[in-house]
């Protein structure tokens, strides 16, 4: 609705602008033509006088005829100009309406995409909020609750709150990365060194699940924003740890291949079915085979953030995964020159 009236208003302004230009042009054109006709008329009078011997002045009948011809010629010019302006007016209505529609289409898409995003985000926020609220209400009503039970509820609530915190953080980052490259601070950095740092940071988490966690890197300089590259690595490694069952294997690699640096995370987790594979980078998408998830928490935002980061760096993420065989996530980034 909003866009329909905007389209109409843009079209009206377009028509006004075109009509203004065409009327101005017609006015200037008419002035020039009229001046030309006047001087031709004067020329004809002089020629008649000069060519017919003994003629003192042009006879009034001839003069009236010439004047009528002149007026007629001017009227014809005005008529043609009015016709042309009418045509331009009609055409500009159609063209204006069409162009306004074309110009508004991407904006319309963007707004509806944003609406979808807000509604998805609110939806995701609501579930944990309801859980926390219900748990707190039930606890408050139970006057005979022991301190131990109360602590248990507080602990559960705290877990849910941590999840909410994570969700809001992801949403904030997503909106920051949506602003494009200006949200980033590019510097030359060694992808291998960044991976080694993140490896150390996440090792304790992998240990709690008894995972075999390995790293192999080589020096590969890229032009990148350090914080977002670290975030991207954390998202991919976090997923690998989250979805891989105890005693599984996770392998991190940084390789230099041609003009590209590759960051690779290989896991022996449940893999992703070909049915889910095309969608895992979509916002809020979670593969819902319960076996694949194993109760892993998340909001389906990690990979969309990671993908955005890779793209902002002129790279992309490829996945090779099939059920039971595990997954390989490969981030390919251009090397610094
Ligand atoms: P989240 O992990 O929060 O659900 P992501 O965007 O990070 O969201 O991932 C989207 C979906 O892709 C996950 O729900 C999961 O089904 C699948 N996925 C991602 N990484 C892996 C992995 N290493 N192994 C198996 N499935 C994965």
């Amino acid at each position: 609705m909003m866009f329909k009236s905007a389209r109409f208003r843009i079209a009206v302004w377009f028509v006004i602008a075109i009509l203004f230009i065409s009327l101005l042009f017609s006015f200037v054109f008419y002035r020039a033509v009229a001046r030309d006709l006047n001087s031709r008329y004067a020329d004809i009078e002089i020629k008649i006088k000069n060519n017919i011997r003994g003629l003192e002045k042009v006879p009034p009948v001839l003069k009236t005829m010439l004047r009528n011809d002149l007026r007629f010629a001017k009227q014809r010019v005005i008529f043609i100009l009015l016709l042309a302006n009418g045509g331009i007016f009609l055409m500009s209505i159609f063209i204006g309406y069409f162009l306004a529609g074309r110009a508004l289409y991407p904006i319309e898409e963007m707004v509806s995409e944003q609406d979808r995003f807000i509604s998805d985000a609110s939806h995701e926020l609501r579930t944990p909020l309801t859980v926390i609220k219900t748990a707190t209400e039930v606890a408050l009503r139970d006057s005979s609750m022991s301190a131990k039970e109360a602590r248990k509820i507080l602990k559960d609530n705290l877990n849910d709150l941590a999840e909410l915190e994570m969700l809001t953080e992801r949403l904030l980052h997503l909106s920051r990365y949506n602003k494009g490259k200006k949200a980033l601070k590019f510097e030359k950095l060694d992808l291998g060194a960044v991976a080694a740092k993140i490896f150390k940071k996440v090792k304790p988490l992998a240990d709690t699940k008894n995972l075999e966690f390995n790293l192999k890197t080589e020096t590969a300089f890229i032009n990148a924003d350090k914080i977002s590259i670290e975030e991207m690595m954390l998202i991919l490694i976090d997923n690998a740890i989250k979805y891989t069952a105890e005693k599984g294997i996770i392998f991190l690699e940084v390789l230099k291949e041609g003009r590209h640096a590759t960051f690779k995370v290989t896991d022996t987790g449940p893999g992703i079915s070909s049915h889910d594979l095309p969608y895992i980078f979509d916002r809020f998408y979670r593969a819902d085979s319960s076996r694949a998830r194993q109760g892993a928490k998340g909001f389906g935002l990690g990979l969309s953030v990671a993908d955005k980061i890779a793209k902002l760096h002129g790279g992309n993420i490829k996945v090779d995964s099939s059920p039971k065989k595990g997954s390989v996530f490969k981030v390919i980034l251009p090397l610094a020159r």
Side-chain angles (χ1 to χ4, degrees):
M1 188 61 217
M2 186 180 102
F3 281 98
K4 245 195 165 132
S5 85
R7 183 178 188 178
F8 184 71
R9 261 178 296 162
I10 294 175
V12 167
W13 279 109
F14 179 82
V15 171
I16 289 173
I18 293 287
L19 217 55
F20 175 75
I21 294 169
S22 115
L23 284 173
L24 191 74
F25 182 76
S26 305
F27 178 72
V28 172
F29 181 78
Y30 176 74
R31 285 279 297 256
V33 171
R35 198 176 311 140
D36 191 52
L37 285 173
N38 283 338
S39 77
R40 260 161 213 267
Y41 166 79
D43 257 8
I44 291 172
E45 268 196 13
I46 292 166
K47 272 183 193 149
I48 290 172
K49 255 191 293 183
N50 291 349
N51 285 334
I52 302 176
R53 225 174 296 149
L55 200 69
E56 285 287 305
K57 66 183 199 6
V58 181
V61 189
L62 201 59
K63 214 164 175 162
T64 318
M65 264 169 63
L66 281 172
R67 285 247 160 96
N68 280 344
D69 264 359
L70 177 68
R71 192 149 28 93
F72 185 64
K74 282 183 186 170
Q75 275 168 359
R76 268 181 62 97
V77 173
I78 291 177
F79 178 71
I80 289 169
L81 283 177
L82 282 179
L83 216 62
N85 274 291
I88 288 172
F89 175 67
L90 285 180
M91 262 183 341
S92 68
I93 290 176
F94 286 112
I95 295 175
Y97 196 68
F98 171 74
L99 287 182
R102 285 274 301 246
L104 285 175
Y105 182 70
I107 304 173
E108 206 174 340
E109 281 284 282
M110 220 163 71
V111 171
S112 70
E113 161 79 14
Q114 235 157 37
D115 280 349
R116 233 179 355 251
F117 181 57
I118 291 171
S119 107
D120 285 349
S122 324
H123 208 81
E124 293 293 336
L125 280 165
R126 204 168 55 184
T127 315
L129 279 176
T130 312
V131 170
I132 296 168
K133 190 169 162 236
T134 314
T136 311
E137 276 169 356
V138 169
L140 276 177
R141 245 182 270 138
D142 184 356
S143 52
S144 63
M145 183 184 280
S146 70
K148 199 176 157 203
E149 282 167 329
R151 283 185 73 84
K152 159 98 178 53
I153 287 167
L154 282 177
K155 222 169 141 189
D156 286 349
N157 280 358
L158 200 60
N159 279 340
D160 288 334
L161 285 171
E163 246 190 86
L164 276 178
E165 196 181 17
M166 172 81 165
L167 171 63
T168 44
E169 200 143 293
R170 282 269 153 87
L171 287 173
L172 274 175
H173 287 194
L174 209 55
S175 106
R176 187 160 75 101
Y177 294 131
N178 269 337
K179 289 196 184 102
K181 283 195 172 152
K182 65 176 185 243
L184 307 179
K185 217 177 93 211
F186 283 86
E187 59 181 316
K188 201 168 168 180
L189 46 98
D190 175 12
L191 198 65
V194 181
K197 179 182 158 190
I198 299 296
F199 176 79
K200 257 197 209 145
K201 195 169 160 179
V202 205
K203 183 91 174 69
L205 186 65
D207 288 344
T208 60
K209 274 184 92 172
N210 283 321
L211 297 168
E212 192 183 321
F213 194 41
N214 295 315
L215 169 79
K216 189 178 147 215
T217 66
E218 56 183 348
T219 308
F221 281 99
I222 58 167
N223 251 324
D225 175 71
K226 196 169 173 196
I227 295 172
S228 54
I229 289 290
E230 287 183 1
E231 183 178 4
M232 182 189 71
M233 285 181 171
L234 272 173
I235 288 169
L236 295 177
I237 302 170
D238 220 44
N239 276 349
I241 294 177
K242 195 161 72 171
Y243 295 110
T244 304
E246 296 236 351
K247 300 203 176 84
I249 304 166
I250 294 172
F251 186 38
L252 304 188
E253 248 177 309
V254 171
L255 311 158
K256 221 155 74 175
E257 291 171 323
R259 293 219 233 129
H260 294 100
T262 304
F263 171 67
K264 207 162 138 188
V265 184
T266 310
D267 67 48
T268 57
I272 302 161
S273 73
S274 58
H275 161 76
D276 291 312
L277 215 46
Y279 307 108
I280 55 169
F281 292 100
D282 290 356
R283 280 179 331 210
F284 300 112
Y285 188 84
R286 304 197 73 210
D288 56 10
S289 114
S290 51
R291 192 164 41 84
R293 246 197 237 170
Q294 299 180 15
K297 289 184 172 175
F299 293 96
L301 280 177
L303 286 180
S304 61
V305 173
D307 187 51
K308 204 141 253 165
I309 293 172
K311 291 205 168 109
L312 282 174
H313 286 82
N316 61 335
I317 304 183
K318 288 198 176 125
V319 199
D320 188 7
S321 180
S322 50
K324 292 188 193 137
K325 291 221 177 78
S327 314
V328 184
F329 283 81
K330 227 166 134 179
V331 188
I332 300 159
L333 298 163
L335 284 172
R337 267 175 247 230

